[in-house]
Amino acid sequence: MSDEPHSMEHFFIGPDGKRVTLADLPPRDLLNLTSPQKSMVVGAVRNGLITISEACERYHLSRDEYLHWHGSFAGEASGERP
């Protein structure tokens, strides 16, 4: 038995079938995210990895900016096809 506490790593499965964790998200404070990075952030929020507030804080977004991303990438981030 290990003395280290067992911690569950939070993740979601991205549209490519791979696990996405906090470590996989774009770096904090990155100002010019690419479309795939925006999609990953939207997927992280949709799947409960981070909250909208956390996404806005991490990437210096207004709530309206995030909602624009959500409208653009929600289907892609969840693996849905239009």
Side-chain angles (χ1 to χ4, degrees), residues 33-55:
L33 279 77
T34 64
S35 290
Q37 289 170 323
K38 291 176 183 179
S39 177
M40 183 179 285
V41 171
V42 169
V45 172
R46 282 183 52 103
N47 289 285
L49 190 59
I50 60 175
T51 66
I52 292 174
S53 295
E54 289 169 329

Side-chain angles (χ1 to χ4, degrees), residues 8-79:
M8 288 190 49
E9 182 180 23
H10 296 283
F11 68 93
F12 69 96
I13 304 300
D16 60 358
K18 295 182 181 174
R19 288 171 46 129
V20 178
T21 67
L22 281 175
D24 298 312
L25 294 181
R28 286 182 173 272
D29 301 321
L30 187 62
L31 298 178
N32 295 311
L33 279 77
T34 64
S35 290
Q37 289 170 323
K38 291 176 183 179
S39 177
M40 183 179 285
V41 171
V42 169
V45 172
R46 282 183 52 103
N47 289 285
L49 190 59
I50 60 175
T51 66
I52 292 174
S53 295
E54 289 169 329
C56 290
E57 183 181 322
R58 286 174 74 103
Y59 304 109
H60 303 282
L61 302 170
S62 69
R63 193 169 187 88
D64 285 341
E65 286 175 300
Y66 172 79
L67 292 174
H68 178 75
W69 287 13
H70 182 271
S72 297
F73 299 106
E76 183 180 318
S78 67

